Amino acid sequence: MWGWVQRVASSLGGGVGGGGVGGTESRWDVSVAVGVTAMAGVALAAAIIITSRRGSIRSPWSRRKRKHALSRQQWNSFFNPDGTLRDRGVKMFKKIRSGGVDPSIRAEVWPFLLGVYDLNSSESERSDVRIKNRKKYEKLRRLCCKLVERCVKQLKEMGEGGNVECGSGLDGSESSSSENFISARPSLFTERDGMVDSAADLPQNVETLESYSCHIEEDEGKSGVTHLDTSPKEIEPSDTDSSVDDEIETIQITSLARANEENGQEATGPDSDDTDTRKPKKTAEDFETWQRIIRLDAIRANDEWIKYSKTQATVSEDAAQQAAIAVGLKDYEHLEPCRIYHAARLVAVLEAYAIYDPEIGYCQGMSDLLTPIVTVMDKDDEAFWCFVGFMKKARHNFRLDEVGIRRQLSIVSKIIKCKDTHLFRHLEKLQAEDCFFVYRMVVVMFRRELTFEQTVCLWEVMWADQAAIRAGIGKSAWGRIRSQAPPTDDLLLYAIAASVLQRRKLIIEKYSSMDEIIRECNSMAGHLDVWKLLDDAHDLVVTLHDKIG
């Protein structure tokens, strides 16, 4: 640098008049001044560049626009010859955190992120898992069919039912019709697709049936995902009601045990004195309720997904009709074949999940979470197990007691309070410090505020964080670098807080009620930059993770 300054000074000195010592000193003074000015300009330019790129240095998210998503070639390079992941998936997680996943390989990558496959499993082991999972899913579908058959039988006996289309296509059973139904769960989803927000009672003249169930156990082996037990024999369509009843005896106990485990409570076993009083009482009537809401939401699903799945977008009319008949779908004449097919797949997977996790069953909003998975995964059984993995973290969003929702809203509130006390005091004045205005964002995980592709990218980053934590590699891979955010289970909540903080000035200066803030949050749809959102979320994680956690 100094040599460059001298060369500049020398060239300038040749053009300045005067001689002798005084002239030389004058030229040198001018040269030094010019050189110093030039160096100052260079320093200023460097400072501007460094400042403008501070986010890139500090945050992996801000480099995403200049980074490519995980490609097929990179994905293949992460595996050993036997199909096991190199380095426990650390490189995979880092790549996904910084660039997402290329759409062409999402169907292969997502089962790893969602815990369907163990990170240490070989290709042959994963093949075995796929076969077992397919059988378990088919078993659930048969149980759905059996439950529908008994509901219809009861209705017929009481003079309230009639002949309808078959319910699952697996055994020719009948299904109850899918007339209009209004969700009994209060909802903030009224802004789109005519979602309902009031309650209506179902007919009460159906006797309570014993809950349909399948023998479920917690697989504490490789995947970390709850699986169906394959030890009992598979249920065939010709089985009697008594054999089905024998198959379903343990579902409430297992559902309670799973819920207690997630809440840090001692699991209640079949011999516990309070099993009968504490276990969830889910009946055939509950399933009929879920079934009706599922069909209503499936029919109303929008078509944003179509351009992201060419195979499903070009499905034939015959294939769509067969899929609809297989799940007893009704009132779809106004839909094009691809949307009929998509709705039928949503019904099949969501019904199976309602049986699999009867404590949650089905609530409005779950179809929003499933749509991207069904779009990416062409096979229903694979989509189902990815959804199960997703719901391991998301299921508390749909508990009727809303304990999980309140916990998450509390975290968002803490983030805002720690980051911006002025904004938080304003929220307190409006009695909005509980952050209920972001309820919808929490429940459906930004699905309504971001585009399809933005949502998927955000979820992939979130899943990569959660998978890294499950694998126990969070701190070892990132914890030593203070300038980068460590993986967190609550990345979504930091992103939600960031979206509110981005609008702090508007909220403070213009809004005087929580209703106005709710409308502002709902109007974010289509106007959020997911990369900026992740930038800001990352900054919040770096600054507040230790305090909030």
Side-chain angles (χ1 to χ4, degrees), residues 84-105:
T84 56
L85 269 173
R86 302 178 191 273
D87 202 19
R88 292 186 303 158
V90 171
K91 292 181 180 179
M92 174 185 71
F93 294 138
K94 285 186 175 181
K95 182 61 181 176
I96 293 173
R97 290 184 86 204
S98 65
V101 179
D102 187 270
S104 65
I105 59 171

Side-chain angles (χ1 to χ4, degrees), residues 157-315:
E157 291 175 353
M158 301 181 67
E160 297 291 336
N163 293 326
V164 291
E165 293 288 346
C166 84
S168 76
L170 292 168
D171 62 359
S173 306
E174 292 179 335
S175 168
S176 58
S177 61
S178 56
E179 64 269 23
N180 291 336
F181 175 79
I182 299 180
S183 171
R185 177 186 175 92
S187 173
L188 293 180
F189 307 139
T190 59
E191 300 81 4
R192 197 190 72 181
D193 300 333
M195 287 293 192
V196 295
D197 62 355
S198 59
D201 292 333
L202 285 173
Q204 298 299 314
N205 56 356
V206 180
E207 290 184 6
T208 299
L209 304 176
E210 60 269 38
S211 300
Y212 259 70
S213 61
C214 43
H215 191 76
I216 297 179
E217 67 177 3
E218 184 73 18
D219 182 356
E220 296 179 351
K222 297 180 177 180
S223 70
V225 174
T226 304
H227 292 298
L228 289 168
D229 181 15
T230 55
S231 56
K233 65 179 182 179
E234 297 291 337
I235 296 178
E236 299 300 331
S238 59
D239 285 344
T240 64
D241 282 350
S242 61
S243 67
V244 176
D245 290 340
D246 290 340
E247 182 70 18
I248 67 178
E249 285 297 321
T250 61
I251 193 167
Q252 290 92 349
I253 297 172
T254 308
S255 177
L256 179 63
R258 184 193 305 129
N260 286 343
E261 181 181 346
E262 291 179 357
N263 293 327
Q265 302 172 5
E266 184 178 353
T268 302
D271 298 328
S272 300
D273 294 337
D274 59 347
T275 297
D276 291 337
T277 59
R278 293 178 60 192
K279 70 183 181 181
K281 302 290 186 181
K282 300 300 180 182
T283 65
E285 190 175 12
D286 290 314
F287 182 80
E288 183 185 13
T289 299
W290 297 332
Q291 186 187 49
R292 294 180 181 185
I293 309 173
I294 288 169
R295 280 159 173 73
L296 184 64
D297 288 353
I299 289 295
R300 289 175 168 176
N302 64 33
D303 60 358
E304 187 184 9
W305 62 271
I306 292 176
K307 62 182 179 181
Y308 298 99
S309 179
K310 294 181 180 179
T311 56
Q312 296 180 52
T314 57
V315 68

Side-chain angles (χ1 to χ4, degrees), residues 40-79:
V42 171
L44 178 61
I48 293 173
I49 294 173
I50 291 173
T51 301
S52 65
R53 295 193 58 189
R54 184 181 299 169
S56 295
I57 295 172
R58 184 172 63 243
S59 166
W61 314 131
S62 61
R63 291 197 294 267
R64 280 209 188 176
K65 287 187 177 180
R66 297 186 292 277
K67 288 248 183 197
H68 296 291
L70 175 64
S71 67
R72 164 71 63 182
Q73 183 178 3
Q74 290 169 324
W75 172 245
N76 292 337
S77 71
F78 292 156
F79 290 90

